[in-house]
Amino acid sequence: MEKRKWYSLIDKVWRIDNLEKATAMVVKNAGAAGVDRQSTEDFLANKEMHLQEISRKLREKRYEPQPVRTVEIPKDNGKSRILGIPSVRDRVVQQSLRNVLEPIFETKFKDCSYGFRPNRNCHQAIAKVDEYIKAGNLWAVKVDIENFFDSINHEMLIDQVAEEVSDGSILKLIRAFLTSGTMKEGEFFEKTEGTPQGGVISPLLANIFLHPFDEALVQQNFNLVRYADDSILLCSSEEEADRAITATLSVLAKLKLKANLSKTRKVQLADLEGTEFLGFLITAIYKFPRTKAVNKFKEKVRSKTRRTAPVSLKELIANLNPVIRGYGNYFKVGNSYKTFERLDQWIRMRLRCFIEKRKSYNANYRLRNKMFEANGLISLLSLLKPTPCNGATTSESRMR
């Protein structure tokens, strides 16, 4: 049976109702302004005019994306990640395009892929890793793709989109976004490969590009779990892990991608060293927040609890709670009881230092935990569900 292709889709991209929906999604995600310095608020002030203009230019095949504004985001290793920020109007068009393309490609994506897909998340990926480990797969191959988003081959990506979509206007629009270039400090840089991190359409394009990777490894019966460019293969033996590494390198080479060989390696999960995946340190029995994740959380707490902050205790706690809730809700699926307990104590210590600096309390008055609760402070431990795996363990103490 001949495979069906989608021949006419551009009319769905420039439809006003789709552009309206895309605008609402872009505004909800907020984000900084692009090279034109237009904010989402500015765009909304004349939304109808902007959407009519976008729709008209798409219909007339005259829409031209603006260059992406680049900013550097510091990483834990001292290096920086380049984030590309499209203009608001380009984000709206990309979201409208994604609304049309995503349902088409979702029908072909593999179950092993969890990143930036509808109704899929990190916790499901971690649960799948747990499932494979409990089935006796105690060897892990952690895959690190070198400069993935900057290394995506444009022609190969367009070819992969064209396997499902034959609408030349759609393919031309995608190519226009890929080659729109970047602006840094007023200087234009041409882009001949890669897709900018920060673009609305980039996660979908990344999943499309890595679909052959998923397909090849699943066909070879490897237990793959992938979240965007972060992948792990769970194997039943060291020999299988060696085969997994060989197969991974072969598939990446066909996609003109390179593995970071210093980070792509096999690990025996029975060892306490374990392996890192999606912020967790995973062993055969336990999974904990990795040290980098703990340090990053503590740095966020420090920034919110500076002793010189010009706010009241209640205001400081209100600003701090979203940070605590976000970290706790993410890592509560792990064996995090002891880690959360120590972090709760450390947070309260930071708050006591904040109060003492103000000298706004009776020196003979003990700053009890209930006082912080009365001011609205949530604790990490309160976010844990009472399950056996969250109990205190000596193994976790050794790991931390």
Side-chain angles (χ1 to χ4, degrees):
M1 182 178 176
E2 187 178 354
K3 184 177 180 180
R4 179 186 178 185
K5 283 194 175 185
W6 296 84
Y7 287 92
S8 182
L9 294 173
I10 192 63
D11 60 315
K12 297 175 176 60
V13 177
W14 52 253
R15 277 175 50 172
I16 292 295
D17 60 340
N18 191 15
L19 291 171
E20 289 270 10
K21 179 181 177 182
T23 300
M25 297 171 77
V26 168
V27 171
K28 181 179 179 181
N29 291 330
V35 292
D36 59 1
R37 298 297 175 178
Q38 184 184 55
S39 67
T40 53
E41 290 80 8
D42 294 335
F43 187 90
L44 285 176
N46 294 287
K47 184 181 70 171
E48 290 186 11
M49 180 190 72
H50 290 310
L51 295 188
Q52 289 292 341
E53 181 184 13
I54 289 170
S55 179
R56 176 174 56 81
K57 287 187 175 181
L58 287 171
R59 286 198 311 273
E60 296 173 356
K61 301 181 182 180
R62 295 193 303 109
Y63 187 86
E64 295 183 6
Q66 296 176 296
V68 171
R69 183 169 71 89
T70 61
V71 295
E72 294 188 11
I73 307 298
K75 296 173 69 174
D76 296 334
N77 59 10
K79 298 181 181 180
S80 60
R81 177 169 63 95
I82 305 299
L83 186 67
I85 305 175
S87 65
V88 175
R89 68 163 196 158
D90 284 343
R91 297 207 294 271
V92 169
V93 175
Q94 287 188 23
Q95 185 62 60
S96 182
L97 180 60
R98 181 173 179 172
N99 292 346
V100 172
L101 293 181
E102 192 167 62
I104 295 172
F105 286 92
E106 273 297 314
T107 63
K108 69 181 291 185
F109 286 159
K110 295 292 183 182
D111 288 341
C112 62
S113 168
Y114 291 87
F116 305 105
R117 294 181 59 189
N119 303 314
R120 288 182 158 243
N121 56 46
C122 292
H123 285 174
Q124 292 170 335
I126 292 295
K128 193 64 178 180
V129 171
D130 273 348
E131 180 183 321
Y132 284 137
I133 291 173
K134 289 174 181 176
N137 297 284
L138 301 182
W139 284 85
V141 172
K142 182 69 172 59
V143 181
D144 186 274
I145 304 176
E146 198 170 275
N147 298 323
F148 169 67
F149 282 92
D150 292 330
S151 302
I152 293 176
N153 183 280
H154 289 175
E155 297 307 317
M156 294 180 69
L157 174 57
I158 294 294
D159 287 345
Q160 289 178 34
V161 175
E163 288 184 7
E164 303 294 328
V165 176
S166 293
D167 188 329
S169 295
I170 292 287
L171 301 179
K172 181 182 177 182
L173 184 59
I174 292 174
R175 187 184 295 278
F177 280 120
L178 291 173
T179 59
S180 61
T182 62
M183 291 287 288
K184 183 178 181 181
E185 298 177 352
E187 186 176 358
F188 175 79
F189 296 89
E190 186 179 3
K191 288 289 288 183
T192 58
E193 62 180 10
T195 179
Q197 295 188 61
V200 175
I201 197 73
S202 293
L204 175 60
L205 296 180
N207 278 331
I208 292 172
F209 193 76
L210 284 177
H211 175 68
F213 175 83
D214 299 340
E215 202 167 37
L217 293 177
V218 169
Q219 284 178 353
Q220 296 178 59
N221 296 317
F222 289 114
N223 299 319
L224 170 67
V225 179
R226 181 176 67 80
Y227 192 96
D229 61 329
D230 204 355
S231 302
I232 189 171
L233 294 94
L234 287 306
C235 306
S236 60
S237 66
E238 185 174 8
E239 292 74 22
E240 184 184 356
D242 288 333
R243 292 197 303 273
I245 291 176
T246 301
T248 296
L249 297 179
S250 174
V251 175
L252 290 179
K254 291 177 182 178
L255 293 172
K256 298 184 179 181
L257 297 172
K258 294 181 180 179
N260 184 332
L261 297 180
S262 65
K263 296 182 179 180
T264 299
R265 58 185 184 274
K266 62 186 178 184
V267 176
Q268 189 173 23
L269 297 179
D271 295 339
L272 287 178
E273 179 185 351
T275 191
E276 295 181 354
F277 186 59
L278 299 181
F280 287 90
L281 180 62
I282 298 172
T283 72
I285 302 175
Y286 302 106
K287 55 182 180 291
F288 314 99
R290 67 176 185 166
T291 302
K292 286 183 179 179
V294 173
N295 291 340
K296 190 173 182 179
F297 170 71
K298 293 177 79 170
E299 187 57 38
K300 288 182 179 180
V301 172
R302 287 190 187 97
S303 70
K304 298 285 187 181
T305 58
R306 300 194 187 282
R307 299 182 189 184
T308 55
V311 294
S312 67
L313 176 64
K314 189 176 286 290
E315 290 172 323
L316 184 145
I317 288 174
N319 292 331
L320 180 61
N321 277 341
V323 176
I324 297 173
R325 188 177 289 108
Y327 179 86
N329 283 336
Y330 185 81
F331 287 105
K332 68 182 181 182
V333 300
N335 308 96
S336 303
Y337 185 94
K338 280 292 184 181
T339 302
F340 281 13
E341 184 179 50
R342 283 192 294 272
L343 286 173
D344 277 340
Q345 293 170 354
W346 177 79
I347 290 169
R348 290 192 292 266
M349 179 273 292
R350 293 282 306 178
L351 294 177
R352 288 186 174 98
C353 290
F354 172 82
I355 295 173
E356 290 169 0
K357 178 71 175 179
R358 299 298 182 89
K359 301 186 184 301
S360 58
Y361 75 108
N362 186 328
N364 295 319
Y365 178 72
R366 186 176 178 183
L367 300 175
R368 298 182 181 276
N369 295 348
K370 287 187 177 181
M371 186 272 290
F372 296 119
E373 293 176 14
N375 278 274
L377 180 69
I378 63 172
S379 71
L380 289 166
L381 285 181
S382 70
L383 300 173
L384 285 177
K385 293 181 180 179
T387 59
C389 69
N390 282 326
T393 66
T394 56
S395 296
E396 186 186 25
S397 297
R398 289 198 300 271
M399 293 292 296
R400 300 299 308 139

